[in-house]
Amino acid sequence: MFRWFSQVAALTLFNLKTLPQRLGSVAAAVVGMAGVVAVLVGVLSIQQGFRRTMAVSGAPDVALVLRGGSDGEMTSILGRDDVRLIAEGPGLARDSTGALASPELFVIINLPKKSTGTDANVPMRGVTPAAFGVHDQVKLVEGRRFEWGRNEVIVGRAAQGQFRGLDVGSQLHLGQNVWTVVGAFTADGGLPESEIWTDAAVLQPAYRRGNSFQSLKAKLVSAGSFQRFKDALTADPRLNVKVQRETEFYAGQSRALTAIVTILGLIIGILMGLGAVFGALNTMYTAVAARSREIATLRALGFRSSPVLLSVIAESIALAALGGAVGALGAWLAFDGYQAATMNWQSFSQVAFAFRVGPALLLLGLFYALALGLVGGLFPAIRAARLPVATALRE
Amino acid sequence: MTVSMSHPSLVPVTAGHSATLARVRGVAKDFRRGAEVVHVLRGLDLEVPRGEFLALMGPSGSGKSTLLNLLGGLDRPSAGSVEVGGEQIDRLSERALARWRARHVGLVFQFYNLLPVLSAAKNVELPLLLTPLSRAQRKRQVATALALVELEHRAGHLPRQLSGGEQQRVGIARAIVTDPTLILADEPTGDLDRKTGDGILDLLSALSRDHGKTVVMVTHDPHAAGRAGRVLHMVDGQLSTEMAA
Amino acid sequence: MTRLGLLAAGFKRHRLRLLLTGLSIVVAFLLFGVLVAVRQAFAAGVSVAGRDRLVVRHRISIIQLLPESYEAEMEKLPGVVDATPASWFGGIYQDPKNFFGQFPVKPEEYLRMYPEFRLPPEQKAAWLATRTGAVAGRKLADRFHWKVGTRIPIQPTIWIPKKDSSWQFDLVGIYDGAQKETDTSRFLFRQDYFEENRRFASGMIGWYYIRVADPKRAAAVAQSIDDHFTNSSAETKTETEGAFAQGFANQMGNIGAIVTAILSAVFFTILLVAGNTMAQTVRERTQELGVLKALGFSNAEVLAMVLGESCLLAGTAGLIGLGLGFALAAGGDPTGGYLPNFMFPAKDLLLGAALILLLGVAAGALPALQAMRLRTVDALRRE
């Protein structure tokens, strides 16, 4: 048994020692594999990053209430009475100001993007004091909070980075109204960071919304109280509402982009994998052919077939692992944390997010490379082991 | 092994041609090997009469293959002149030299140098692609050449399906298919056993004796050299006195 | 055998390697097809924007509505030939995943504004005669297998109807696009039906399309429209249709450019590997090339033969790949509605062909030139 292993090891080492002679094709194979892995990781990191933004935006102990049948905040409407009734629901956490139920107004304004100078849709949210209690991940990092009743706004850090004219101290001219930016906030990288916040009471008249809101976000005593809260509201004949966990809601919000990236990622991944397999097969067949005489000599000398087979596969996997590692590392360096923004179709406005290359994704890339290396080495290995020694020696 | 003599396209030498086919004067050839310069040929003179079967013998490194290459226009001398069939081939341009070679020289190699993807017949046909002959004419020429080396029955086989001796005969067929005046053979029997090698040597001498071709053969085997009409020895880039066959 | 025959014989060599290399090239160009289709998809309508069309929307926000009275006012402005409204309906057909754009419009005016939408006259007449009538683009109709006469119910999200719980439309026509790139994914129905059946925002519409008399003066006319409505209750922002589409593309923008860049990297990587293999094959034939030269083939002839082989391989495999890519892209939007402009623009076929040629020449020429520089005698001596 040990002899067998040492044969495999000896052969593999022998194979690897001949690498410098085949540097051209080896380099091509490694580069090819690196490219495949880097791209796979890169494309999926878009989806991972976007998902993370969505996941971080919601909390499992926050319930989101919309009008029944609504798809999102834009198409929902909640009247003042609705809001009062909802705030009386069971299971709500409370603080000194009362129930942590935050009715919110959601509109879109147009601001020029820093990157292109063209206009893009920016979400603007009108809130009440309870909002800061419900969205406890929101932290002020610059300036101060807006004063209630005044035309003042605070902007999310990500929005600041994406759009012109959102520095603290600047003024926003929206139609007849002028708003002053008095502060900036972060929200753990979640959606609120792409938004502009202000007093709902000032936003409503500016947009002629009367006393109505669009959504209500309520902080529950615990994640477990959700069902009780939901049942109470849906059973109430005076209300026509849709109740979800905030996390559920945001998961649904990433539908469009997730669909695009996942499907494109699949197509790309499959095609790339095919290309990589053909490339790997080519490289390994060439490698085997180039050394068929040496391999045959070894077999004539007494090395058995299976160590030969395994050494070829081992080499293929080793090269693939190298390429995969290079590609994964490259992707991590290039993509992790890369700031991008895209259209969130559900809210019809810009959402900023960062590409995310997590350990799981890196491992996926590496496994993919190893799998490709295995496939790429298998058939050439079988051929190398099966070739009649006499024929090979003559070549 | 018999050699037929009635092949119309391969006519024996006629009067009117000069008696000397090749004239080499004061030829030297230097090679650069890394930093140093090696003088492989030093001021060499040689005259090869038309129709002669000449053998060049010598140890490895003596320059005999180099001289052969110069005769065939495969290389240029560093000094001196090479004249073959009245043509100063060392003065020809690269392109003209290639054309000249196609028409006037047949090459036979130690390791045959057949194209592995082509059948025997197609290998023989290769040099004819450089001539204006029609397809039908080419076919005829190939058939004649293959008949001369007695391999018509193996015409469709690939090189790897032929034995060493058969491959060399294909090589010879290829060398004569354009009816060249000069045939250069570099260790033609080097890779063959005695018996097969003898068959090849029979062919080469028949080409000289019966068909008036001039054959220059490089060899390190005295037995092979013995089949030639004249043997010259090369030592250190110089020709030494000839020894009678 | 002819020269061509000699070339073709070259392909008998290393059949497996040839097949694998060919397949890599096919995949590379298939990816190219996906790449250009994605790029086109994210370019979202910029290329088909009308040079003489403008879009007028609410200055503050695209989701704010404009009064329908603006139409008559704008048509009086100099340089404005025609104005017609449209709005965002945003309903759901069966399942939220079946996303497509639905727009209430004024039929006659809208078709005038979009002459590239070709609707047979009898279908147009039917639309004008049927209040609940709707017209869908060819791509949209094919997607859901709609035929003229199909009843199409749409669930409201924004616009609750006065009667019933959903909006009922009758498909009276299917329009085709004048060009391949024309958008045929729209669902159009009548503004008057929209107006009478919706519960709020009466008299308000989403945005206007304007046709200008002289495209060269588009920017000036746009400015004059905005100036006209300054300080009114609903200020406007007017820009050319192209700029409007570009603004949208920019909002999607980052992702499109990134995906394109990534795909380009993949494409070139695969080609690098394939090219290297092809080049290696040439290098291995140094000895054979030497034989040919010894026999009297000139440098140029040998180079031409090698190039011919590599270009033939690149060409065959590349064209198959391009063809497959074209066919794949013709299958339409793989995301089911989010990328309606997913298609292979004809001009990129030229780009693909150029890349094929580049691959063939580069893979063959570079190593062939290298081999060529070797002296014939050295080449012959090689194993």
Side-chain angles (χ1 to χ4, degrees):
Chain A
M1 196 57 181
F2 174 70
R3 280 246 322 264
W4 185 85
F5 269 118
S6 67
Q7 282 191 13
V8 176
L11 283 175
T12 311
L13 271 168
F14 168 73
N15 289 345
L16 293 175
K17 278 217 194 89
T18 62
L19 278 182
Q21 299 160 18
R22 298 178 281 126
L23 212 48
S25 68
V26 164
V30 169
V31 166
M33 194 60 73
V36 168
V37 171
V39 167
L40 186 73
V41 171
V43 172
L44 288 180
S45 75
I46 299 176
Q47 190 229 32
Q48 294 281 342
F50 192 77
R51 268 265 209 83
R52 185 179 178 278
T53 299
M54 291 304 182
V56 158
S57 307
D61 60 349
V62 172
L64 194 145
V65 184
L66 298 170
R67 194 201 57 201
S70 297
D71 201 28
E73 292 182 279
M74 291 245 298
T75 55
S76 164
I77 185 163
L78 293 172
R80 189 183 233 178
D81 293 330
D82 296 328
V83 169
R84 190 177 42 81
L85 282 170
I86 295 167
E88 284 167 11
L92 287 185
R94 309 182 84 80
D95 72 355
S96 50
T97 61
L100 282 176
S102 162
E104 299 177 2
L105 191 64
F106 183 85
V107 300
I108 290 177
I109 61 170
N110 284 116
L111 291 173
K113 273 166 82 98
K114 274 184 185 166
S115 57
T116 60
T118 55
D119 274 10
N121 299 340
V122 192
M124 188 152 159
R125 193 174 290 278
V127 298
T128 60
F132 293 97
V134 173
H135 300 286
D136 51 16
Q137 77 268 48
V138 169
K139 291 178 181 36
L140 207 62
V141 292
E142 199 190 332
R144 59 172 175 81
R145 224 185 253 190
F146 53 81
E147 274 187 35
W148 301 98
R150 301 178 68 123
N151 274 32
E152 293 177 348
V153 301
I154 53 175
V155 300
R157 259 292 188 246
Q160 238 184 5
Q162 286 289 320
F163 299 101
R164 290 193 195 153
L166 290 181
D167 298 318
V168 175
S170 44
Q171 303 210 305
L172 287 172
H173 294 264
L174 303 170
Q176 322 284 34
N177 305 299
V178 181
W179 308 74
T180 314
V181 180
V182 298
F185 64 90
T186 57
D188 282 345
L191 267 182
E193 269 190 49
S194 297
E195 296 176 354
I196 300 175
W197 282 21
T198 187
D199 183 352
V202 183
L203 194 60
Q204 277 162 335
Y207 280 77
R208 273 170 244 148
R209 298 295 180 99
N211 279 326
S212 64
F213 296 88
Q214 276 153 300
S215 63
L216 188 141
K217 297 184 190 160
K219 193 165 181 80
L220 303 163
V221 164
S222 76
S225 341
F226 174 75
Q227 202 54 47
R228 199 158 46 104
F229 179 67
K230 175 176 177 176
D231 292 339
L233 291 184
T234 43
D236 191 329
R238 296 166 293 178
L239 291 170
N240 172 24
V241 293
K242 179 171 161 182
V243 187
Q244 294 171 288
R245 283 187 208 273
E246 211 185 14
T247 42
E248 235 184 282
F249 172 67
Y250 283 122
Q253 291 258 296
S254 62
R255 221 166 38 218
L257 189 74
T258 304
I260 294 174
V261 176
T262 307
I263 291 179
L264 286 182
L266 261 172
I267 295 177
I268 296 169
I270 291 173
L271 286 178
M272 273 171 9
L274 268 178
V277 164
F278 295 141
L281 278 173
N282 227 349
T283 306
M284 292 315 297
Y285 270 124
T286 310
V288 163
R291 289 173 296 138
S292 61
R293 180 177 292 190
E294 288 133 25
I295 295 174
T297 307
L298 286 168
R299 284 171 58 207
L301 288 176
F303 282 85
R304 287 171 46 220
S305 288
S306 52
V308 173
L309 206 145
L310 276 169
S311 71
V312 172
I313 294 178
E315 179 187 335
S316 179
I317 291 181
L319 286 179
L322 178 64
V326 169
L329 182 69
W332 180 73
L333 285 171
F335 298 126
D336 192 42
Y338 181 80
Q339 287 288 337
T342 190
M343 174 79 86
N344 177 358
W345 287 99
Q346 267 69 40
S347 70
F348 207 52
S349 49
Q350 291 280 273
V351 55
F353 64 100
F355 284 28
R356 191 174 132 74
V357 178
L361 195 54
L362 287 170
L363 275 173
L364 176 70
L366 262 168
F367 272 129
Y368 194 48
L370 290 176
L372 291 176
L374 179 65
V375 174
L378 193 60
F379 296 100
I382 293 176
R383 174 190 266 205
R386 282 241 225 100
L387 200 63
V389 177
T391 319
L393 281 174
R394 226 188 305 148
E395 266 185 27
Chain B
M1 191 178 99
T2 55
V3 177
S4 166
M5 287 169 65
S6 56
H7 287 271
S9 57
L10 298 175
V11 295
V13 71
T14 55
H17 287 247
S18 133
T20 308
L21 181 71
R23 198 165 284 141
V24 175
R25 288 238 194 289
V27 140
K29 182 68 189 171
D30 301 324
F31 284 112
R32 193 159 298 255
R33 226 155 266 170
E36 50 173 300
V37 177
V38 184
H39 305 289
V40 179
L41 296 177
R42 307 154 191 268
L44 200 135
D45 291 329
L46 173 66
E47 282 201 13
V48 185
R50 205 176 273 275
E52 172 172 79
F53 184 179
L54 170 69
L56 293 175
M57 278 196 71
S60 104
S62 55
K64 51 193 197 296
S65 290
T66 308
L67 178 58
L68 201 74
N69 290 337
L70 289 178
L71 279 172
L74 286 168
D75 207 349
R76 286 188 198 283
S78 307
S81 71
V82 181
E83 182 200 305
V84 180
E87 187 91 53
Q88 286 288 117
I89 64 172
D90 58 291
R91 302 246 186 87
L92 291 177
S93 72
E94 209 51 63
R95 213 194 153 84
L97 195 56
R99 281 287 175 267
W100 174 85
R101 196 162 56 242
R103 188 64 197 86
H104 292 98
V105 180
L107 298 164
V108 181
F109 304 95
Q110 178 178 3
F111 292 109
Y112 331 127
N113 281 346
L114 300 178
L115 265 56
V117 295
L118 297 177
S119 66
K122 293 218 171 96
N123 263 293
V124 174
E125 196 184 352
L126 254 185
L128 293 175
L129 293 182
L130 295 161
T131 67
L133 292 179
S134 73
R135 172 174 266 182
Q137 288 171 312
R138 291 203 299 268
K139 272 186 86 173
R140 255 181 284 132
Q141 210 90 329
V142 168
T144 306
L146 281 174
L148 198 87
V149 301
E150 296 192 356
L151 271 184
E152 313 102 303
H153 57 291
R154 306 281 266 161
H157 285 81
L158 293 172
R160 67 160 183 270
Q161 295 167 317
L162 301 171
S163 70
E166 288 170 331
Q167 287 187 57
Q168 191 60 293
R169 284 196 270 161
V170 174
I172 292 176
R174 180 180 67 189
I176 60 174
V177 78
T178 53
D179 199 19
T181 37
L182 179 62
I183 298 188
L184 302 173
D186 196 340
E187 307 269 12
T189 57
D191 203 45
L192 303 169
D193 63 76
R194 174 60 66 92
K195 185 156 178 287
T196 323
D198 281 344
I200 297 299
L201 292 167
D202 286 342
L203 262 176
L204 288 175
S205 47
L207 285 173
S208 152
R209 186 186 62 229
D210 305 328
H211 298 280
K213 305 282 171 208
T214 310
V215 180
V216 180
M217 175 177 73
V218 157
T219 185
H220 64 272
D221 177 11
H223 171 86
R227 300 290 305 272
R230 174 165 70 129
V231 182
L232 288 176
H233 287 266
M234 283 204 60
V235 182
D236 278 343
Q238 301 249 302
L239 281 170
S240 73
T241 40
E242 21 197 296
M243 274 157 54
Chain C
M1 176 173 70
T2 57
R3 297 280 181 106
L4 201 61
L6 183 58
L7 195 95
F11 284 116
K12 289 207 209 109
R13 201 189 321 274
H14 289 298
R15 279 226 179 88
L16 183 62
R17 181 193 291 184
L18 193 72
L19 181 69
L20 289 174
T21 308
L23 284 172
S24 321
I25 297 176
V26 168
V27 169
F29 282 95
L30 180 53
L31 258 174
F32 176 80
V34 172
L35 190 166
V36 298
V38 167
R39 189 175 64 171
Q40 176 73 0
F42 283 95
V46 178
S47 53
V48 293
R51 285 185 320 124
D52 58 352
R53 277 199 298 260
L54 306 176
V55 173
V56 184
R57 59 163 172 91
H58 197 294
R59 167 157 233 104
I60 298 178
S61 163
I62 184 112
I63 63 165
Q64 297 271 76
L65 303 173
L66 295 171
E68 63 180 5
S69 59
Y70 279 20
E71 182 178 349
E73 282 187 57
M74 290 190 294
E75 279 174 346
K76 291 202 200 86
L77 294 175
V80 175
V81 169
D82 209 354
T84 192
S87 307
W88 180 260
F89 189 67
I92 296 176
Y93 174 65
Q94 295 174 346
D95 189 299
K97 284 209 294 287
N98 298 337
F99 172 82
F100 58 90
Q102 306 131 27
F103 310 96
V105 298
K106 294 186 181 177
E108 290 252 46
E109 288 183 9
Y110 192 83
L111 289 173
R112 254 198 334 259
M113 185 65 66
Y114 277 94
E116 63 262 45
F117 289 3
R118 305 280 169 81
L119 193 66
E122 68 275 8
Q123 292 183 2
K124 178 176 163 189
W127 197 16
L128 291 170
T130 319
R131 219 164 172 73
T132 58
V135 164
R138 177 70 56 188
K139 223 184 280 185
L140 182 63
D142 287 345
R143 182 173 156 206
F144 295 113
H145 311 293
W146 289 338
K147 299 204 181 358
V148 171
T150 312
R151 183 139 256 250
I152 298 170
I154 297 198
Q155 295 293 109
T157 54
I158 315 168
W159 307 105
I160 315 291
K162 283 188 186 146
K163 7 181 263 184
D164 314 319
S165 55
S166 66
W167 294 69
Q168 300 288 329
F169 299 103
D170 298 297
L171 195 69
V172 296
I174 298 177
Y175 75 85
D176 288 292
Q179 291 154 319
K180 192 171 162 234
E181 288 92 349
T182 307
D183 183 8
T184 56
S185 65
R186 296 187 195 183
F187 183 84
L188 309 164
F189 60 97
R190 283 169 58 153
Q191 172 69 21
D192 51 3
Y193 178 48
F194 178 56
E195 176 68 36
E196 83 176 18
N197 209 17
R198 60 173 166 170
R199 285 201 192 184
F200 55 89
S202 177
M204 305 293 279
I205 56 92
W207 62 88
Y208 287 97
Y209 294 106
I210 301 282
R211 182 183 298 285
V212 296
D214 181 2
K216 288 201 238 8
R217 297 205 62 251
V221 174
Q223 189 61 52
S224 69
I225 293 175
D226 292 340
D227 289 341
H228 179 85
F229 293 112
T230 309
N231 294 321
S232 69
S233 59
E235 294 191 331
T236 60
K237 177 155 172 156
T238 309
E239 51 194 344
T240 60
E241 198 183 18
F244 180 72
Q246 188 63 57
F248 250 97
N250 289 344
Q251 293 191 67
M252 288 291 276
N254 262 0
I255 303 298
I258 288 165
V259 170
T260 305
I262 289 174
L263 276 173
S264 304
V266 174
F267 176 68
F268 282 112
T269 301
I270 294 183
L271 281 184
L272 181 75
V273 177
N276 183 64
T277 311
M278 287 162 78
Q280 193 177 322
T281 309
V282 173
R283 260 179 261 129
E284 283 170 2
R285 292 168 55 200
T286 306
Q287 190 235 16
E288 277 178 41
L289 298 180
V291 172
L292 289 172
K293 281 183 66 184
L295 291 177
F297 287 83
S298 69
N299 269 347
E301 283 169 321
V302 174
L303 182 64
M305 225 180 62
V306 169
L307 269 180
E309 255 193 59
S310 62
C311 286
L312 194 59
L313 174 60
T316 314
L319 284 174
I320 292 177
L322 273 185
L324 283 175
F326 197 83
L328 187 77
D333 181 3
T335 65
Y338 295 118
L339 295 176
N341 282 301
F342 188 85
M343 49 163 288
F344 196 129
K347 66 171 160 52
D348 283 326
L349 278 172
L350 284 171
L351 177 61
L355 286 170
I356 290 176
L357 192 63
L358 181 66
L359 171 68
V361 170
L366 292 172
L369 281 171
Q370 243 181 338
M372 226 52 59
R373 257 188 259 127
L374 275 179
R375 292 148 15 96
T376 310
V377 290
D378 290 330
L380 279 171
R381 219 178 286 138
R382 288 235 176 146
E383 223 18 64

